[in-house]
Amino acid sequence: MTDLRDKTAIVTGGGSGIGEATAKALAAQGVNVVICGRREASLARVAGDIRSAGGIVHPVAADVSQEAEVERVVSTALEAFGTVHILINNAGIDAAGGLHDYDVGAWDKVMAVNLRGPFLMSRAVLPRMRQQAQGHIINISSESGIEYYERDGGYGLSKHALNALGEYTQRENQEYGIRVNTICPGMVVTEMTRDTPGLNHERCLTPDDIADLVLWLLTRRPNIKIGTPILIQTMLNPWEGA
Ligand code: NAP
């Protein structure tokens, strides 16, 4: 098992939900964490929690779809900690609707956050990771990146493309000691989903379930490649019994 102590990680969307749980889990393992998101207040809350628990964290208010803001996140990590070992591309947004009348602005926004964001972040850290011959990128995709769901086209396509981005990133960089994993969660109770009508929260995944899987992946021996998107769902249908 690989020791994560004193490694540096960037977690996008670290101010809530899966990103918050992952940032806290990493910090608890002794990882120096940079969290980013657009809302300063959520980042400050999570940073306060991490520091109270003895962890090290830098919050950076930034939009992952903007190249200059992504560069600022990465330069904060480099200035504070010298390098980046781990990138968790977690920030994401949802926008439901059928493709036949899908709002074009919503399409552009979903693609910008869910696909352009992970591309920009990966592009910003890969040269450093290649130089140090060490790095691990984990993309938080979705079951919508593997399966078909009604009125889920824009989001689902952004996640299908994110899965492909992960595969390309892995293949182009695996000879440089860089590993890439893609996690495809089922329903997790977070800000994104908690008010969805008919969702049985008791039957959903928790953000900690995803953070546990992230930690497990990060602590495998360096020569182990875990390919294909990893689907993590619940045994019981979360759309029943609410
Ligand atoms: P969440 O609590 O809404 O988290 C999304 C995070 O992304 C927020 O912290 C948000 O912060 C950040 N974000 C959104 N747009 C951003 C931008 N342009 N730049 C930077 N940060 C941005 O929901 P979540 O469920 O934890 O979602 C995390 C990831 O899991 C997403 O990629 C989502 O697609 C995926 N996922 C969720 C579920 C589920 O059931 N919840 C299932 C499968 C996959 P700001 O608003 O402050 O920017």
Side-chain angles (χ1 to χ4, degrees):
M1 188 167 137
T2 304
D3 185 7
L4 295 178
R5 189 155 295 278
D6 298 325
K7 295 274 191 291
T8 297
I10 296 173
V11 181
T12 70
S16 64
I18 295 169
E20 172 179 351
T22 302
K24 288 178 174 176
L26 289 170
Q29 295 297 314
V31 176
N32 303 315
V33 184
V34 172
I35 52 174
C36 77
R38 292 161 305 169
R39 288 167 298 165
E40 275 183 39
S42 344
L43 296 172
R45 179 184 58 77
V46 174
D49 289 352
I50 289 176
R51 287 178 187 134
S52 302
I56 297 175
V57 61
H58 274 266
V60 185
D63 181 338
V64 295
S65 68
Q66 302 301 316
E67 187 180 353
E69 298 190 29
V70 164
E71 297 295 343
R72 191 158 48 76
V73 174
V74 175
S75 58
T76 300
L78 296 179
E79 278 159 30
F81 306 118
T83 190
V84 176
H85 304 97
I86 298 162
L87 167 64
I88 312 293
N89 277 318
N90 162 77
I93 56 170
D94 195 4
L99 291 175
H100 65 285
D101 62 356
Y102 203 82
D103 181 77
V104 175
W107 170 275
D108 289 344
K109 215 167 164 196
V110 165
M111 293 298 164
V113 180
N114 296 2
L115 183 59
R116 178 177 155 95
F119 158 67
L120 289 176
M121 288 296 319
S122 302
R123 180 177 173 276
V125 299
L126 278 167
R128 177 67 60 139
M129 287 180 171
R130 287 166 73 114
Q131 198 183 13
Q132 70 198 12
Q134 190 191 354
H136 203 142
I137 297 175
I138 298 184
N139 296 327
I140 306 298
S141 179
S142 167
E143 60 186 357
S144 299
I146 296 178
E147 298 179 354
Y148 163 80
Y149 295 95
E150 212 175 315
R151 295 183 55 75
D152 198 31
Y155 179 77
L157 281 161
S158 75
K159 295 298 192 179
H160 272 77
L162 178 60
N163 294 357
L165 175 71
E167 189 61 32
Y168 270 87
T169 312
Q170 173 68 96
R171 283 171 189 256
E172 287 183 8
N173 295 286
Q174 64 191 42
E175 287 181 10
Y176 295 84
I178 296 165
R179 288 192 287 182
V180 183
N181 295 116
T182 302
I183 297 178
C184 293
M187 294 307 294
V188 186
V189 183
T190 66
E191 283 178 18
M192 186 180 280
T193 54
R194 66 185 169 209
D195 297 327
T196 312
L199 185 64
N200 183 345
H201 290 196
E202 300 297 314
R203 288 187 171 195
C204 288
L205 298 161
T206 69
D208 286 334
D209 293 327
I210 312 306
D212 281 349
L213 180 53
V214 169
L215 276 192
W216 186 83
L217 289 167
L218 291 175
T219 50
R220 292 314 90 201
R221 289 189 299 110
N223 193 36
I224 297 178
K225 177 180 173 183
I226 298 170
T228 70
I230 300 164
L231 187 59
I232 171 170
Q233 295 172 309
T234 51
M235 302 287 277
L236 298 175
N237 185 345
W239 298 104
E240 287 176 0

